[in-house]
Amino acid sequence: MISEKMQKLVAGSSVTRAMFEEGNRLAKIYGRENVYDFSLGNPNVPAPEAIKKAVIDIVTNEDPVKLHGYMNNSGYEEVREAVANSINERFGMNYGANNIVMTVGAAGGLNVIMKVLLNPGDEVITFAPFFGEYRNYVSNYDGELVVVSPNTKDFQPKLDEFETKITAKTKAVIVNSPNNPTGVIYSEETFKKLAEILVKKEKEFGTSIYLVTDEPYRELAYGGLSVPYVPKYYHNTIVGYSYSKSLSLPGERIGYLVIPSDIDDYDLVFQAAGVATRVMGFVNAPSLQQMFVARCLNESTDLSYYERNRNTLYEGLLEIGYEAQKPEGAFYLFLKTPVEDDVKFSEMAKKYNILVVPGTAFGCKGYVRIAYCVAYETIVNSLPKFKELMEEIKKG
Amino acid sequence: MISEKMQKLVAGSSVTRAMFEEGNRLAKIYGRENVYDFSLGNPNVPAPEAIKKAVIDIVTNEDPVKLHGYMNNSGYEEVREAVANSINERFGMNYGANNIVMTVGAAGGLNVIMKVLLNPGDEVITFAPFFGEYRNYVSNYDGELVVVSPNTKDFQPKLDEFETKITAKTKAVIVNSPNNPTGVIYSEETFKKLAEILVKKEKEFGTSIYLVTDEPYRELAYGGLSVPYVPKYYHNTIVGYSYSKSLSLPGERIGYLVIPSDIDDYDLVFQAAGVATRVMGFVNAPSLQQMFVARCLNESTDLSYYERNRNTLYEGLLEIGYEAQKPEGAFYLFLKTPVEDDVKFSEMAKKYNILVVPGTAFGCKGYVRIAYCVAYETIVNSLPKFKELMEEIKKG
């Protein structure tokens, strides 16, 4: 009796989430320490101490009627202003409160902007491998996700193929850098070329094509690598940000959209984002979270923790004989599976209590995603198991 | 360049919200104390002190990785269990964690359940006057809202007309008691008859018709009146609850859905509610809010505050010569406008710095909604202004 759309969604329910549940099941049987659960991007680094202090200070000193009350659907004006100022300082932009919409995480923000932009049948392009939920965020509004095939050489987007896939119906492009699931940072060159192509195609078709950049992993870049700030390269850019990973707050559902004043139809898009926030039932990003992130804009997570995990995992796997792209950011490693079928490989891995997500879930078969935002011991203890798995495979 | 649906929504953007912004504008000019802003259901009673204590205790003592982390999309199991137990104690039900989905307020919950149930073209019936957002919550999923005309005698639903409006396409019915905007509590008799009709029609059409009961005002009933617990009367009932009003937390976005085990296709509906929560971008109800409401399930707001407001406002208005339904619950008074056109009346009221929402926004012309969840002084000081307004009208 549920809707046809939901029947399909339930049937093919998120592989990642199913793994998460499987991990909990195995942990009950074998003990948490004997399960190598790399399935979910749930940070193991605690939120900065400053969050706790901010929360206590806010509930102690703020007027509860204001703190817990309704505000503009886009968020508290002073919070949006603080967020804008912080972006301006870091990236040399010139945003104000009216360029920021506080959202229920990046997932909430992406849904808001898709709701704002898409008519049924509109096309949204993304680059494989990609976060599988994009398919839902687009189909929620009857749009069609168009996927550019993966470039398994270095996992930068295939821009030639991209150009051929842009049509008069292309309403938006979603990019995600540092990338889930590869950990690759899209280069400045990539964004320059991407922008060139978009400008050309906008002219050719007489349309506006919005570049939506999903940035939950912006702050997670290793070895001093910098992550290009996309609105600098292309005028019609909308940023979806989340504090889930940068401050280890994924359950708290807090993020924001940047809607720059120089995008086409700025006024309408900005106003519609507030209205969409309301009618979709978010109403507003949770008020306490808005207030406490505004006080922690200069806080950061413990990058060295993830970097150690990355190095130990990457080097350990290579030593065993696996092949992988070295992650530059985020907390995912995209492993080439030594057997062709990535679903089969992830099933084989389960026998060693290793949980990884098949690349097919990200539109890229022959790989699995390993989320290394786990305890360091999990990495260390999993390596002998990865080795046993490799030995089993070699034996055939 | 925004979607056609959003263009319409932006153009006809929420009258209530526009009023809220107008109130802020007038307050800047005349001072907050000289504006009688009855436009929005934003509680003026502070949240119970226990909320503050719970928040401080949680951030001080809970493991931050668990507290701020992802959990099941339906919410923490122990929170859902605590909520279920609390309902069981109060209403003699027999729910468990698997009957509860924690949601981003009732608005989030209603969107989730509409997403779960509706195929394009499915019909959802509601009773005027009704919370205008229902129109959006249904059209978000391409359903059609079918409105039963208002019964202005006592504002109980018109069940005869209801019966004639049920078709093979009727997928759900939304009720809201205590009601926004009338403050009326639907009687036990109403629910018994409603259930009878639904059972009969389900048989006639061979369909399942879900009764969705929107209950943000459940705890706000005056003079010892009780609010019937709807699942007791009809098997296919789904409850959408919110702590926004009962604990004065509207900005915090926390509520829940009750999905009883004896509804048709319970397994699918419950599972789909979790999946819908994820794909719509809520992902989960904010984690800190889940934890603190679970510790405050026996807390309540200061009912006597709203009851005094109600009495002073209702009696004051009647004395001046206005007509109104006496509110039994919620914090709204539905005033019959002394001029036929309620939009005109609300415009006239603005000249006296009185902000009220026209009944047409709720599908019931000739009335305005007065949200009396304001400071007591606002009520007292507004009455002379209401009197001047009445005198102006009488003069013609």
PDB file of all heavy atoms in Angstrom, chain A residues 165-176:
ATOM      1  N   LYS A 165      27.442  15.163 -22.745  1.00  0.00           N
ATOM      2  CA  LYS A 165      26.200  14.790 -22.048  1.00  0.00           C
ATOM      3  C   LYS A 165      25.351  15.985 -21.643  1.00  0.00           C
ATOM      4  O   LYS A 165      24.241  15.828 -21.134  1.00  0.00           O
ATOM      5  CB  LYS A 165      26.540  13.917 -20.835  1.00  0.00           C
ATOM      6  CG  LYS A 165      27.010  12.532 -21.275  1.00  0.00           C
ATOM      7  CD  LYS A 165      26.925  11.476 -20.197  1.00  0.00           C
ATOM      8  CE  LYS A 165      26.944  10.090 -20.842  1.00  0.00           C
ATOM      9  NZ  LYS A 165      27.314   9.026 -19.908  1.00  0.00           N
ATOM     10  N   ILE A 166      25.868  17.183 -21.844  1.00  0.00           N
ATOM     11  CA  ILE A 166      25.081  18.381 -21.527  1.00  0.00           C
ATOM     12  C   ILE A 166      24.053  18.604 -22.635  1.00  0.00           C
ATOM     13  O   ILE A 166      24.405  18.570 -23.818  1.00  0.00           O
ATOM     14  CB  ILE A 166      25.988  19.621 -21.394  1.00  0.00           C
ATOM     15  CG1 ILE A 166      27.014  19.399 -20.275  1.00  0.00           C
ATOM     16  CG2 ILE A 166      25.159  20.870 -21.099  1.00  0.00           C
ATOM     17  CD1 ILE A 166      28.071  20.495 -20.183  1.00  0.00           C
ATOM     18  N   THR A 167      22.803  18.792 -22.230  1.00  0.00           N
ATOM     19  CA  THR A 167      21.737  19.043 -23.213  1.00  0.00           C
ATOM     20  C   THR A 167      20.961  20.291 -22.796  1.00  0.00           C
ATOM     21  O   THR A 167      21.261  20.899 -21.759  1.00  0.00           O
ATOM     22  CB  THR A 167      20.741  17.862 -23.283  1.00  0.00           C
ATOM     23  OG1 THR A 167      19.928  17.878 -22.088  1.00  0.00           O
ATOM     24  CG2 THR A 167      21.450  16.520 -23.385  1.00  0.00           C
ATOM     25  N   ALA A 168      19.970  20.622 -23.578  1.00  0.00           N
ATOM     26  CA  ALA A 168      19.114  21.772 -23.238  1.00  0.00           C
ATOM     27  C   ALA A 168      18.345  21.510 -21.948  1.00  0.00           C
ATOM     28  O   ALA A 168      17.819  22.430 -21.325  1.00  0.00           O
ATOM     29  CB  ALA A 168      18.147  22.048 -24.384  1.00  0.00           C
ATOM     30  N   LYS A 169      18.257  20.235 -21.554  1.00  0.00           N
ATOM     31  CA  LYS A 169      17.516  19.884 -20.334  1.00  0.00           C
ATOM     32  C   LYS A 169      18.411  19.850 -19.096  1.00  0.00           C
ATOM     33  O   LYS A 169      17.931  19.598 -17.987  1.00  0.00           O
ATOM     34  CB  LYS A 169      16.891  18.499 -20.508  1.00  0.00           C
ATOM     35  CG  LYS A 169      15.633  18.478 -21.340  1.00  0.00           C
ATOM     36  CD  LYS A 169      15.263  17.020 -21.547  1.00  0.00           C
ATOM     37  CE  LYS A 169      13.770  16.782 -21.619  1.00  0.00           C
ATOM     38  NZ  LYS A 169      13.510  15.328 -21.690  1.00  0.00           N
ATOM     39  N   THR A 170      19.714  20.066 -19.267  1.00  0.00           N
ATOM     40  CA  THR A 170      20.627  20.012 -18.120  1.00  0.00           C
ATOM     41  C   THR A 170      20.385  21.215 -17.212  1.00  0.00           C
ATOM     42  O   THR A 170      20.626  22.352 -17.609  1.00  0.00           O
ATOM     43  CB  THR A 170      22.097  20.010 -18.597  1.00  0.00           C
ATOM     44  OG1 THR A 170      22.292  18.924 -19.501  1.00  0.00           O
ATOM     45  CG2 THR A 170      23.039  19.862 -17.403  1.00  0.00           C
ATOM     46  N   LYS A 171      19.925  20.949 -16.012  1.00  0.00           N
ATOM     47  CA  LYS A 171      19.614  22.051 -15.093  1.00  0.00           C
ATOM     48  C   LYS A 171      20.707  22.241 -14.067  1.00  0.00           C
ATOM     49  O   LYS A 171      20.921  23.356 -13.574  1.00  0.00           O
ATOM     50  CB  LYS A 171      18.281  21.731 -14.375  1.00  0.00           C
ATOM     51  CG  LYS A 171      17.648  22.910 -13.670  1.00  0.00           C
ATOM     52  CD  LYS A 171      17.369  24.022 -14.666  1.00  0.00           C
ATOM     53  CE  LYS A 171      16.630  25.184 -14.078  1.00  0.00           C
ATOM     54  NZ  LYS A 171      15.197  24.944 -13.929  1.00  0.00           N
ATOM     55  N   ALA A 172      21.393  21.151 -13.742  1.00  0.00           N
ATOM     56  CA  ALA A 172      22.413  21.243 -12.697  1.00  0.00           C
ATOM     57  C   ALA A 172      23.464  20.156 -12.880  1.00  0.00           C
ATOM     58  O   ALA A 172      23.246  19.170 -13.590  1.00  0.00           O
ATOM     59  CB  ALA A 172      21.777  21.126 -11.323  1.00  0.00           C
ATOM     60  N   VAL A 173      24.600  20.396 -12.241  1.00  0.00           N
ATOM     61  CA  VAL A 173      25.696  19.424 -12.192  1.00  0.00           C
ATOM     62  C   VAL A 173      26.066  19.301 -10.721  1.00  0.00           C
ATOM     63  O   VAL A 173      26.151  20.317 -10.023  1.00  0.00           O
ATOM     64  CB  VAL A 173      26.909  19.932 -12.998  1.00  0.00           C
ATOM     65  CG1 VAL A 173      28.082  18.970 -12.898  1.00  0.00           C
ATOM     66  CG2 VAL A 173      26.521  20.183 -14.457  1.00  0.00           C
ATOM     67  N   ILE A 174      26.233  18.076 -10.229  1.00  0.00           N
ATOM     68  CA  ILE A 174      26.668  17.910  -8.836  1.00  0.00           C
ATOM     69  C   ILE A 174      28.110  17.415  -8.822  1.00  0.00           C
ATOM     70  O   ILE A 174      28.427  16.411  -9.462  1.00  0.00           O
ATOM     71  CB  ILE A 174      25.797  16.901  -8.060  1.00  0.00           C
ATOM     72  CG1 ILE A 174      24.307  17.274  -8.135  1.00  0.00           C
ATOM     73  CG2 ILE A 174      26.232  16.829  -6.590  1.00  0.00           C
ATOM     74  CD1 ILE A 174      23.384  16.292  -7.408  1.00  0.00           C
ATOM     75  N   VAL A 175      28.966  18.131  -8.115  1.00  0.00           N
ATOM     76  CA  VAL A 175      30.338  17.656  -7.896  1.00  0.00           C
ATOM     77  C   VAL A 175      30.581  17.519  -6.398  1.00  0.00           C
ATOM     78  O   VAL A 175      29.917  18.170  -5.590  1.00  0.00           O
ATOM     79  CB  VAL A 175      31.409  18.596  -8.495  1.00  0.00           C
ATOM     80  CG1 VAL A 175      31.375  18.571 -10.008  1.00  0.00           C
ATOM     81  CG2 VAL A 175      31.262  20.016  -7.966  1.00  0.00           C
ATOM     82  N   ASN A 176      31.544  16.693  -6.053  1.00  0.00           N
ATOM     83  CA  ASN A 176      31.791  16.352  -4.654  1.00  0.00           C
ATOM     84  C   ASN A 176      33.293  16.142  -4.496  1.00  0.00           C
ATOM     85  O   ASN A 176      33.839  15.140  -4.925  1.00  0.00           O
ATOM     86  CB  ASN A 176      31.003  15.065  -4.334  1.00  0.00           C
ATOM     87  CG  ASN A 176      31.308  14.465  -2.976  1.00  0.00           C
ATOM     88  OD1 ASN A 176      31.366  13.254  -2.835  1.00  0.00           O
ATOM     89  ND2 ASN A 176      31.485  15.293  -1.964  1.00  0.00           N
TER      90      ASN A 176
END
